[in-house]
């Protein structure tokens, strides 16, 4: 029966389901790769709450991401109920079959009360703090971005506030878009690997990308902004 | 009855919203395609900040108003944005001058607001200051390029910084809301932002071979809902759809 407690081990599976959702703008990477999924827990009212963080505050993909995550977690809940019900039959399982959300918030914290898994409410919550940084993009995510023709963000940036140097960039942008105190080597071309690339504009096709071009192969490409 | 934090969030949210609307007007009119994309991106960042701030203001005032209610159903006198952000775009140099002044201010503001005792404001500021760093860089690069460019671009850039200079005084004016909240550490006293702002702007203007503007005329009133003539037209355009088709959604 699909009616049982949501255990901590279930939450890990639900988080994995949320993390596996592809980014709607950059479908080659998952939300997990991007570091957007912050965690999954059962709220006091019995709902499953997925905490997400926006990359840019105004990113239009944010609402699509939330909807996709809800759908993925709801689907995973249904299969959880069907498969491993026996193993997870912990505290007072099977008692009130059909009871949707248990009003008496018995256990707080990570695991929840008895519920019909197919009818548990799934919510998403946007968490602004701590602020997302491109440092949170996984190595796997960086590799997939590069393979897709998008230069990954320059690694190793301390996640502090980036200072702007006042001075003209040769040819408007030889160095990184924000040439901070520690100049970084130029972004390599994801197509041919040449490091002779130039910044066309710090703003590109999505809020998180800038637009660059390769001098060697001539190909223009998007590059994730370091944030 | 609205709280001081709600009023403060409304001020900052209105600044972001109105500048976002102004920058959106450039879409398909910018000097080059890359600038179309850049200005639209700036507008989008500001819209995201505005949505967060207006939603927060609405939740605090306890009247059940959503971000859309606040953006589309208030009248001119109910908006709390500074006069600088509502000034017409003018030519590209004028828009860049407005960006230089405002992005430099917003950068200093958000950097300081990261330390706010209000967790919501601090969280947004920590996020937004990284975005605004790019806005400021964009304005700085164009100011240098236009100021230290041709005779014509230099003339226009100088005209831009000169014409908008009077409106910068209001950015650093301590109104009652900001002062009260600065006392408790929730807000930033706007006056404290001026030295860093002025040093930064002066450095850019000098590097761009331009002359630092001066003058005593300091129009103000935005924080009290007293706006300039152009603002009514901006609101008319921004609110028309929502007022004709209430609740319209994409």
């Amino acid at each position: 029966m699909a009616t049982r407690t949501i255990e901590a081990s279930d939450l890990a599976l639900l988080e994995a389901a949320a993390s596996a959702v592809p980014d709607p703008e950059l479908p080659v990477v998952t939300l997990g790769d991007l570091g957007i999924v912050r965690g999954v827990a059962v709220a006091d009212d019995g709902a499953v709450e997925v905490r997400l963080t926006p990359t840019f505050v105004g990113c239009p993909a944010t609402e699509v991401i939330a909807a996709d995550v809800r759908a993925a977690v709801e689907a995973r809940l249904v299969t959880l109920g069907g498969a491993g019900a026996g193993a997870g039959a912990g505290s007072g399982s099977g008692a009130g079959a059909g009871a949707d959300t248990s009003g008496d918030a018995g256990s707080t914290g990570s695991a929840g009360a008895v519920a019909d898994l197919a009818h548990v409410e799934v919510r998403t919550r946007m968490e602004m703090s701590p602020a997302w940084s491109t440092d949170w993009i996984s190595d796997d995510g960086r590799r997939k971005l590069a393979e897709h023709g998008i230069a990954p963000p320059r690694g190793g940036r301390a996640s502090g506030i980036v200072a702007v140097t006042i001075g003209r960039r040769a040819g408007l942008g030889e160095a990184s878009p924000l040439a901070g105190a520690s100049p970084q080597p130029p972004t390599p071309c994801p197509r041919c690997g040449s490091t002779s690339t130039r910044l066309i504009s710090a703003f590109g096709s999505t809020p998180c990308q800038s637009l660059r071009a390769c001098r060697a192969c001539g190909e223009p490409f998007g590059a994730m902004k370091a944030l | 009855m609205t709280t001081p934090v709600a009023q403060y969030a409304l001020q900052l949210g209105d600044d972001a919203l109105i500048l976002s609307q102004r920058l959106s007007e450039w879409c398909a009119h910018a000097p080059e395609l890359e600038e179309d994309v850049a200005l639209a991106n700036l507008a989008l960042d500001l819209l995201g900040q505005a949505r967060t701030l207006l939603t927060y203001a609405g939740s605090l005032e306890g009247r059940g108003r959503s971000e859309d209610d606040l953006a589309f159903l208030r009248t001119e006198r109910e908006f709390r944005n500074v006069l600088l952000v509502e000034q017409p775009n003018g030519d590209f140099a004028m828009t860049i001058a407005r960006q230089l002044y405002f992005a430099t201010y917003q950068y200093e503001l958000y950097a300081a607001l990261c330390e706010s005792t209000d967790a919501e404001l601090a969280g947004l500021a920590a996020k937004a200051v990284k975005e605004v760093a790019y806005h400021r860089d964009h304005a700085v690069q164009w100011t240098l390029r236009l100021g230290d460019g041709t005779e014509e671009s230099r003339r226009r850039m100088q005209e831009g910084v000169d014409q908008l200079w009077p409106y910068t005084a209001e950015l650093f004016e301590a109104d009652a809301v900001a002062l009260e909240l600065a006392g408790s550490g929730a807000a930033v006293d706007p006056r404290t932002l001026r030295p860093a702002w002025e040093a930064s702007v002066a450095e850019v203007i000098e590097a761009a071979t331009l002359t630092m503007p001066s003058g005593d005329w300091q129009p103000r009133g935005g924080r009290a809902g007293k706006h300039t003539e152009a603002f009514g037209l901006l609101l008319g355009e921004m609110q028309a759809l929502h007022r004709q088709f209430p609740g319209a959604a994409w």
Side-chain angles (χ1 to χ4, degrees):
Chain A
M1 205 40 217
T3 304
R4 64 175 179 84
T5 315
I6 297 175
E7 306 287 344
S9 57
D10 296 329
L11 292 176
L13 295 174
L14 296 177
E15 182 167 343
S19 299
V21 171
D23 180 86
E25 283 289 340
L26 307 168
V28 291
V29 287
T30 64
L31 301 185
D33 290 332
L34 290 174
I36 288 176
V37 180
R38 287 251 162 105
V40 180
V42 177
D44 288 344
D45 65 354
V48 169
E49 197 170 71
V50 186
R51 291 175 297 122
L52 304 169
T53 190
T55 53
F56 276 66
V57 181
C59 181
T62 304
E63 284 165 28
V64 180
I65 287 172
D68 288 352
V69 164
R70 278 195 300 275
V73 173
E74 280 166 7
R76 191 70 183 89
L77 273 169
V78 173
T79 54
L80 272 186
S91 53
S93 74
D100 265 3
T101 51
S102 66
D104 37 55
S107 56
T108 51
S110 56
V114 179
D116 177 356
L117 295 184
H119 293 94
V120 169
E121 186 197 345
V122 178
R123 281 196 300 258
T124 55
R125 189 153 58 88
M126 278 296 158
E127 271 186 359
M128 209 78 84
S129 184
W132 181 83
S133 149
T134 35
D135 292 345
W136 292 17
I137 301 177
S138 67
D139 289 342
D140 209 28
R142 285 165 203 266
R143 182 183 52 75
K144 289 189 221 168
L145 282 171
E147 282 170 12
H148 186 61
I150 297 170
R154 316 314 315 282
R157 178 186 293 280
S159 53
I161 297 165
V162 180
V164 176
T165 49
I166 295 169
R168 250 177 125 163
R169 288 188 292 256
L172 196 68
E174 288 308 305
S176 65
L178 284 170
S182 55
Q184 295 179 334
T187 309
C189 170
R191 185 170 172 274
C192 74
S194 166
T195 52
S196 178
T197 66
R198 65 189 176 91
L199 180 73
I200 296 174
S201 171
F203 301 91
S205 57
T206 68
C208 54
Q209 290 181 68
S210 58
L211 189 60
R212 300 188 71 88
C214 177
R215 288 200 185 84
C217 70
E219 189 78 3
F221 60 93
M224 290 282 280
K225 283 179 192 170
L227 199 69
Chain B
M1 204 38 212
T2 180
T3 70
V5 175
Q7 289 177 299
Y8 187 65
L10 200 60
Q11 291 182 355
L12 304 190
D14 283 350
D15 284 351
L17 176 67
I18 300 307
L19 186 56
S20 172
Q21 177 71 16
R22 274 289 182 233
L23 288 170
S24 306
E25 292 172 12
W26 273 107
C27 204
H29 297 279
E32 57 187 26
L33 182 61
E34 287 77 9
E35 273 311 298
D36 251 14
V37 174
L39 294 170
N41 264 288
L42 300 178
L44 187 61
D45 286 346
L46 289 164
L47 187 63
Q49 295 160 23
R51 291 185 61 180
T52 306
L53 287 161
L54 293 187
T55 299
Y56 187 42
S59 73
L60 288 176
E61 68 169 10
R63 290 170 59 189
R65 289 199 286 184
S66 69
E67 49 176 325
D68 280 359
D69 294 336
L70 287 169
F72 298 126
L73 298 176
R74 276 182 300 157
T75 59
E76 196 175 331
R77 294 293 288 262
E78 294 171 286
F79 276 82
R80 291 291 176 265
N81 56 283
V82 291
L83 302 180
L84 177 65
V85 296
E86 71 196 40
Q87 295 311 303
N89 286 334
D91 61 12
F92 185 67
M94 183 84 76
T95 289
I96 291 301
R98 194 182 57 204
Q99 282 305 108
L100 176 69
Y101 289 154
F102 191 76
T104 305
Y105 156 78
Q106 216 182 19
Y107 178 82
E108 298 294 340
L109 171 71
Y110 284 149
L113 207 56
C114 289
E115 307 297 322
S116 170
T117 53
D118 184 290
E120 286 285 326
L121 292 177
L124 171 73
K127 189 87 200 81
V129 70
K130 298 182 180 190
E131 303 175 0
V132 170
Y134 278 94
H135 299 196
R136 185 177 152 209
D137 186 63
H138 174 260
V140 168
Q141 291 305 319
W142 273 113
T143 303
L144 297 174
R145 201 173 171 187
L146 295 175
D148 192 13
T150 67
E151 198 178 315
E152 176 66 4
S153 73
R154 187 178 184 285
R155 183 186 68 75
R156 291 196 187 202
M157 197 62 236
Q158 184 69 54
E159 203 174 292
V161 292
D162 285 347
Q163 279 210 30
L164 293 173
W165 177 257
Y167 297 99
T168 58
E170 191 186 17
L171 297 172
F172 308 103
E173 206 159 65
D175 68 305
V177 173
L179 272 190
E180 182 183 340
L181 290 174
S184 70
V188 178
D189 182 342
R191 292 171 300 189
T192 62
L193 302 173
R194 174 125 208 168
W197 177 87
E198 200 160 326
S200 172
V201 166
E203 195 184 348
V204 177
I205 286 181
E206 191 194 344
T209 73
L210 299 167
T211 308
M212 188 74 169
S214 59
D216 295 332
W217 183 54
Q218 296 181 344
R220 61 197 70 191
R223 294 281 187 236
K226 293 170 187 163
H227 295 279
T228 52
E229 190 177 356
F231 188 55
L233 294 170
L234 178 149
L235 272 196
E237 185 167 303
M238 187 177 85
Q239 297 182 334
L241 189 118
H242 195 87
R243 287 187 185 274
Q244 286 174 47
F245 303 97
W250 293 111

